[in-house]
């Protein structure tokens, strides 16, 4: 024991000396002896603390405190140690402070006890976090063990709760923001849902509601209590908002109790008041607490809801007469001046905009708007109230069924009157929904009754109205019941009941005046309909007097004005008063459709279309025409039928304004109301037509035709216009035949209808031009003749129309494009048209330039038989276009078009070299061209912005002045740079000027602008030909021909020339398509320009190659006749040479036609005519060679061998030993049959072989002659030569076949040695080996043996060698099929060539 004390004293002394190591050693000595020694543990803890061994020191102190829990020394040491470590040991500090304070409390030392707590809380506030400080404040709360002991010495718990609540608020706000920030970045996260989920998780676990309640319970300050009551309500309400539906009910009562408490205390917290007011589920606003409304206004004077309630309580419909006085009495500055209705409405509207989320504001405003008759505003406000009510119900969980019904009733009531009857289905559904659970609801019953009345179900309306009348003695309902009886025709009973209702309608308020005025008007209507005689209606003491009395009662009764207007218009014969009445009625109410219709008719008759549009638009916007009903003029309830006139009138106005899209919509709307309205169908068809929707226009007009007989007058006048419009649509669609038929049908009923006649004339002209483009030239001429007939009929009653003379000019010009039918031109009719009502001076326009004037007109009839039809047609076209200039003198645009048309006619006359038969001057070769230039210049002066005018000027000045031409084209492109025609014309100008690069660029630009414009490809093809690229030229011109219309002659000419050149230069066999297409083009060209003999000559060459010999003979004979006539007139050597050429070719074709005598004769003529020309040109030599050969062959086939031999010898002399001529001569000599002739033939061939060893025909012919003579010595040499030719690659199929046949024939003559295979078989196998893809070897092999394989190979190779793959014909393919000796192949052989025997032999 002594040792322990000594050690403790030593430890204490060491501590005093600050010798902490020694103190530690001494303390440990004591503990070694006495492990539970309290002081040793305290000394050890203190020494370790001083040495900064904090953990060891804490263990020592804790061990000491466990030894003596009620001793303060160890706890003091722990607190000192914890304070040393600041925030690191604040949680342990909390426990130590509580224990130390309890020790002092047990020792009744309040000072030290308070000091410990104060020191701890201050330390936690200074060094701890918010949570640690919050934890330290719990020591000051009633839940702490020392609270009662220190009560009065520590702060009021309310203060601590406030600080804890503040800390909790900050923590929760920070946590919410952090969680939202983290979760919003997740995939598929929606920000609204994230916010709701985070708030729900945190707020439902929040302790703020308890803390706010504790503050309220402990605080002594009323302001603090009210503040935290507000916070508590707001927190509970926010929690309610974010809670799940299942948990809302338990919180709902809490929110209501809190808000009700604040309202009872009259505390001005807006949320509490609004919850109390907004959540009141009442059927009517009168069931609310008027005093509560007044107090709300006092507390929240500037609030939006307060402004609405102030106006409502001050209004005539307020059910709280004393509430407003209470409100005014509570204000400091009372204003005795009553609020005007305007100021009230402004105040309430302003309040509604400020309280956009208030259900009560919208509900109040809905009822007030209904009272004012502002049904549109009432609908808008009530719809918004429904939305707000639904949102509030979702938020709070309240049913609010009564409020929902009240809002539905207000909305439905407004819908009954707003743009009636458009919204009646919706209103009826709302009323029915209310009546399902409230079957006696008065307002719903009245609403259904009014809807049924509008729907003409008057008995049903009476039933519902009488049910409502049982619940309320409202005179308005009684009047409606009486009026329904009038609507079913019971005017006497209705009259009596309405008169009885007047006694109940006493009062000075505006609503009663309006009701009384309406009743008076309805009494007048009953009298008006009761006696419909003219005398009764004209009686001013009858219905008229009641209408006036109605207006005297209420000057704003629109229907009374309408009724008076009908009276003045139909019976009073005072149009001015009637119009004023209708205007006043329509100004007061857009629903007065009868008055509006009368006004629209009046405005339309005076041409005031702007006013018609305004009237129709206002009626449409009113909603009265949105359904299938129409309102009659006296009252909107009587005899309703479908209407369409407002939409139709609006459509007509929009048609006049060329706003076709809107007019289509208007007419469609009209037809929805009146599907059988004829005029609306016609208007719809016209709108579709003008907007380019022709198919839809056709359907609309065809539908109109069905209802044409149902028009009000039923006259043909309506039907003819529909037919006329339908014909116009057919014309736009290009269905000219149907359009012409339609116009003619109209003219049968209205023969003098100028517009229809002109449309028919223009359609015939357009159809004629289209026929030219399609290649139907005969039909085009026929249509042009019909157009002249129609023009003659028109001129009988009107001959001063521009379109008439333009069409006549076009009809005459058509014959210049189909010259083959120009002889059918109706000369006398055209002459009569030009003479009809004309001053001859009209034709003198530009007569000094083009020579076409009145003198030409006088000679047309006498010279018509002498002049060509082409000349007559163009001269007549020029005169007609000059006439059109006179008749459009006052039309600026038409004059420009007339000059343009005349310019093209003058240019056409120049192109066709038309001569003026009345003039012998030779100085007019450019007269028509110069006249054309002047015409286009004048057109440009009138309309300089027309790109086509500039383009035309560029065309006609191409040869006169290239610079002006280029400027014109550039100007045209400046106005319209997407014109492929202008780019092509510019390229042509550059091509003429030999600027090939610019020409190529211009043609390329034209092709890119319009790839289907054929002339651009023609220009490119001509350019390629100029550059020597004939293949490219042929390809381009072929493409141009494929894409061109049939009216383009330049395309046909250039294509035919290029195709013929390609045929001459092509080394491949002739392709049928390559010949037929150019032939077709030239055939069409002959119909357009029969006098162009050069291309007719070319046509004969193509016909010869297609074996159409009769057509070629006919064409060449015509050419010979024309050339002979021309030569007799001119005696030109050029014409003579052309004649000789034509005769030579005619003889050749006649030879092919086996007309040998005529062929020989024409060949002799060609030789005689060309004999005097010693020129050495290639064409001349070919001409004479062809004539000699033709004559020789003709004589040969006639049996005149001597003459044939002479011809061939002459040909041989002129060709200086041509091998082909030698072959022909040898054949003729051999055919003559004499030994001498045959010897000469053999010598000629041998000599030719020596001179021309590579000439195949010579050696083949020599081989054939040798075989005929069976000259074995010569055969061997011939065989060697044929084998050499057989190995060549440049032989044709015919040559290869000839070699194979000759070698096979030679093989039969040569003796076969024993053991050798047949020479014929060897020759065939050799041919197959040398050319396995050619048919001749396989054919020969199939003929030798009986195997099927060679025959099948012969079929395959022959099928590949026929066109377009080769030059073999149908006969060759027939023989190949016949070689198999199979029934199916024999049938195919017959099908291929039924005119040869091989197929039939194989089949048999």
């Amino acid at each position: 024991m002594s040792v322990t004390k000594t050690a403790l004293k030593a430890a204490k002394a060491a501590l005093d000396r600050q010798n902490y190591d020694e103190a530690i050693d001494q303390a440990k000595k004591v503990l070694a002896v006495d492990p539970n020694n309290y002081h040793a543990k305290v000394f050890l803890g203190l020494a370790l603390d001083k040495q900064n061994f904090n953990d060891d020191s804490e263990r020592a102190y804790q061990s000491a405190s466990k030894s003596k829990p009620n001793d303060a020394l160890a706890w003091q040491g722990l607190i000192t140690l914890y304070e040393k470590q600041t925030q690191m040991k604040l949680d342990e500090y909390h426990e130590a402070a509580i224990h130390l304070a309890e020790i002092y409390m047990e020792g009744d030392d309040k000072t030290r006890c308070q000091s410990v707590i104060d020191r701890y809380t201050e330390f936690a506030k200074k060094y701890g976090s918010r949570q640690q400080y919050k934890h330290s404040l719990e020591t000051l709360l009633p839940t702490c063990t020392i609270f009662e002991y220190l009560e009065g010495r520590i702060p009021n718990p309310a203060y601590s709760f406030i600080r804890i609540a503040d800390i909790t608020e900050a923590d929760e706000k920070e946590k919410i923001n952090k969680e939202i920030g983290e979760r919003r970045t997740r995939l598929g996260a929606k920000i609204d849902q994230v916010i709701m989920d985070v708030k729900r998780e945190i707020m439902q676990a929040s302790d703020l509601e308890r803390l706010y309640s504790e503050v309220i319970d402990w605080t002594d300050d009323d302001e603090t209590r009210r503040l935290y009551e507000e916070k508590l309500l707001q927190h509970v309400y926010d929690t309610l908002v974010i809670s799940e539906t299942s948990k809302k009910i338990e919180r709902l009562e809490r929110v209501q109790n809190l808000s009700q408490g604040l309202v009872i205390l009259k505390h001005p917290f807006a949320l509490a008041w609004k919850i109390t007011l907004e959540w009141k589920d009442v059927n009517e606003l009168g069931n609310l607490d008027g005093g509560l409304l007044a107090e709300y206004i006092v507390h929240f004077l500037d609030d939006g809801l307060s402004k609405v309630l102030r106006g409502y309580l001050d209004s005539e419909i307020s059910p709280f007469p004393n509430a407003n006085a209470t409100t005014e009495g509570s204000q400091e500055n009372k204003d005795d001046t009553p609020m005007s209705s305007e100021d009230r409405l402004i105040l309430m509207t302003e309040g509604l905009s400020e309280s956009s989320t208030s259900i009560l504001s919208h509900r109040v405003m809905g009822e007030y708007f209904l009272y004012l008759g502002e049904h549109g505003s009432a609908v808008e406000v009530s719809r918004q109230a429904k939305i707000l009510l639904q949102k509030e119900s979702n938020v709070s969980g309240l049913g609010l069924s009564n409020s929902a019904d009240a809002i539905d009733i207000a909305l439905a009531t407004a819908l009954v009157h707003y743009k009636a009857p458009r919204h009646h289905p919706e209103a009826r559904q709302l009323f029915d929904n209310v009546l399902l659970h409230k079957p006696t609801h008065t307002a719903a019953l009245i609403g259904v009754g009014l809807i049924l009345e509008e729907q003409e179900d008057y008995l049903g309306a009476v039933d519902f109205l009488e049910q409502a009348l049982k619940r309320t003695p409202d005179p308005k309902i009684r009047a409606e019941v009486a009026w329904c009886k009038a609507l079913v025709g019971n005017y006497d009973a209705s009259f009596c009941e309405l008169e009885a209702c007047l006694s109940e309608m006493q009062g000075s308020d505006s609503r009663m005046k309006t009701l009384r005025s309406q009743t008076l008007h309805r009494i007048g209507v009953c009298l008006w309909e009761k006696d419909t005689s003219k005398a009764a209606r004209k009686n001013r003491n009858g219905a008229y007097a009641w209408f006036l009395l109605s207006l005297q009662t209420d000057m704003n009764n629109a229907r009374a004005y309408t009724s008076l207007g009908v009276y003045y218009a139909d019976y009073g014969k005072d149009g001015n008063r009637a119009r004023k009445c209708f205007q006043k009625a329509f100004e007061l109410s857009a629903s007065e459709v009868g008055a509006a219709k009368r006004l629209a008719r009046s405005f339309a008759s005076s041409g005031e279309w702007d006013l018609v549009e305004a009237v129709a638009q206002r009626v449409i916007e009113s909603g009265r025409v949105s359904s299938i009903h129409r309102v009659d003029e006296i009252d909107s309830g009587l005899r309703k039928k479908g209407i369409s006139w407002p939409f139709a009138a609006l459509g007509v106005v929009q048609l006049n304004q060329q706003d076709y899209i809107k007019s289509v919509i208007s007419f469609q709307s009209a037809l929805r109301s009146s599907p059988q309205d004829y005029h609306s169908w016609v208007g719809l068809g016209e709108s579709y037509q003008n907007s380019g929707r022709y198919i839809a226009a056709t359907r609309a007009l065809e539908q109109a035709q069905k209802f044409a007989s149902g028009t009000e007058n039923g006259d043909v006048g309506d039907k003819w216009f529909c037919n006329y419009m339908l014909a116009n649509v057919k014309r736009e669609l290009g269905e000219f035949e149907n359009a012409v038929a339609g116009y003619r049908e109209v003219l049968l009923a209205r023969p003098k209808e100028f517009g229809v006649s002109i449309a028919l004339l223009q359609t015939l002209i357009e159809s004629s031009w289209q026929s030219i483009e399609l290649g139907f030239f005969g039909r085009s001429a026929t249509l042009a003749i019909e157009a002249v007939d129609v023009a003659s009929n028109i001129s009988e009653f009107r001959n001063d129309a521009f379109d008439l003379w333009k069409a006549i000019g076009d009809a005459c010009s058509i014959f210049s494009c189909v010259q083959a039918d120009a002889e059918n031109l109706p000369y006398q009719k055209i002459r009569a048209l030009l003479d009809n009502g004309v001053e001859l001076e009209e034709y003198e326009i530009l007569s000094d330039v083009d020579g076409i004037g009145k003198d030409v007109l006088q000679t047309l009839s006498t010279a018509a038989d002498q002049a060509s039809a082409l000349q007559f047609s163009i001269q007549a076209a020029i005169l007609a276009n000059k006439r059109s200039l006179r008749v459009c003198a006052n039309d600026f645009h038409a004059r420009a078009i007339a000059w343009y048309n005349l310019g093209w006619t003058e240019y056409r006359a120049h192109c066709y070299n038309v001569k003026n038969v009345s003039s012998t001057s030779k100085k007019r070769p450019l007269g028509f061209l110069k006249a054309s230039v002047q015409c286009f210049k004048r057109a440009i002066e009138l309309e300089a912005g027309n790109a086509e005018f500039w383009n035309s000027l560029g065309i006609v000045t191409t040869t006169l002045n290239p610079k002006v031409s280029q400027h014109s084209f550039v100007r045209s492109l400046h106005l319209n740079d997407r014109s492929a025609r202008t780019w092509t014309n510019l390229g042509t100008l550059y091509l003429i000027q030999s600027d090939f690069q610019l020409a190529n660029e211009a043609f390329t630009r034209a092709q890119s602008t319009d790839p289907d414009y054929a002339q651009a490809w023609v220009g490119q093809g001509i350019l390629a030909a100029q550059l020597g690229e004939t293949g490219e030229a042929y390809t381009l011109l072929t493409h141009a021909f494929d894409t061109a219309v049939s009216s383009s002659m330049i395309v046909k000419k250039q294509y035919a020339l290029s195709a013929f050149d390609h045929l001459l230069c092509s080394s491949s066999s002739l392709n049928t398509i390559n010949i037929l297409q150019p032939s077709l083009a030239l055939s069409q060209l002959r119909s357009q320009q029969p006098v162009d003999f050069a291309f007719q000559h070319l046509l004969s060459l193509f016909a010869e190659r297609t074996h159409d010999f009769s057509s070629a003979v006919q064409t060449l004979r015509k050419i010979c006749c024309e050339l002979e006539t021309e030569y007799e007139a001119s005696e030109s050597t050029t014409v003579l040479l052309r004649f000789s050429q034509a005769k030579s070719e005619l003889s050749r074709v006649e030879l092919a036609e086996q007309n040998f005598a005529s062929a020989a004769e024409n060949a002799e003529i060609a030789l005689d005519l060309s004999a005097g020309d010693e020129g050495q040109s290639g064409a001349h030599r070919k001409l004479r060679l062809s004539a000699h050969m033709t004559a020789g062959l003709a004589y040969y086939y006639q049996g005149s061998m001597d003459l044939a031999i002479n011809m061939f010898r002459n040909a041989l002399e002129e060709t200086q030993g041509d091998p082909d001529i030698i072959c022909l001569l040898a054949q003729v000599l051999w055919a003559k049959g004499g030994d001498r002739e045959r010897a000469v033939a053999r010598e000629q061939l041998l000599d030719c072989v020596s001179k021309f060893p590579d000439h195949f025909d010579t050696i083949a012919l020599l081989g054939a002659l040798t075989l005929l003579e069976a000259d074995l010595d010569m055969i061997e040499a011939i065989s060697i030569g044929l084998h050499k030719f057989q190995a060549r690659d440049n032989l044709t199929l015919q040559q290869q076949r000839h070699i194979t046949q000759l070698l096979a024939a030679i093989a039969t003559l040569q003796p076969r040695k024993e053991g050798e295979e047949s020479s014929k078989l060897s020759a065939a196998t050799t041919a197959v080996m040398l050319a396995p893809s050619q048919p001749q070897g396989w054919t020969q092999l199939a003929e030798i043996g009986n195997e099927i394989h060679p025959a099948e190979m012969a079929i395959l190779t022959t099928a590949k060698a026929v066109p377009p793959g080769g030059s073999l014909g149908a006969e060759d393919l027939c023989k190949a099929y016949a070689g198999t000796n199979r029934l199916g192949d024999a049938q195919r052989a017959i099908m291929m060539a039924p005119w040869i025997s091989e197929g039939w032999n194989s089949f048999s």
Side-chain angles (χ1 to χ4, degrees), residues 729-775:
V729 175
K730 297 294 185 182
R731 175 183 170 188
E732 295 290 347
L733 288 172
E735 300 177 13
F736 295 116
E737 293 183 3
N738 294 333
V740 168
Y743 291 133
R744 292 193 187 279
E745 182 181 355
V746 173
L747 289 174
L748 289 176
R750 303 177 69 89
K752 300 293 184 181
E753 190 66 41
F754 175 73
V756 180
S757 300
I758 285 293
L760 173 60
L761 178 60
Q762 292 174 334
T763 304
L764 289 170
I765 295 298
E766 291 173 6
S767 179
S768 181
W769 284 118
Q770 186 193 58
S771 297
I772 293 177
E773 292 181 354
L774 297 176

Side-chain angles (χ1 to χ4, degrees), residues 32 49 170 195 218 252 268 312 314-315 371 461 522 550 697 708 806 837 841 934 1002 1039 1122 1174 1188 1264 1269 1320 1359:
D49 180 15
I195 293 174
W218 285 98
L252 180 61
Y312 176 67
D314 187 62
S315 67
Y371 167 74
R522 288 177 172 179
S550 173
K806 178 183 179 300
E841 297 300 326
Q934 292 190 26
H1039 177 73
E1122 296 293 339
E1174 299 299 334
H1188 278 114
E1269 291 183 339
K1320 189 175 182 179

Side-chain angles (χ1 to χ4, degrees), residues 874 905-914 925-929 959:
I874 293 183
T905 309
E906 298 276 6
Y907 184 68
R908 185 176 286 111
H910 169 74
C911 293
Y912 292 136
N913 197 22
V914 174
L926 299 178
F928 291 114
L929 185 61
T959 56

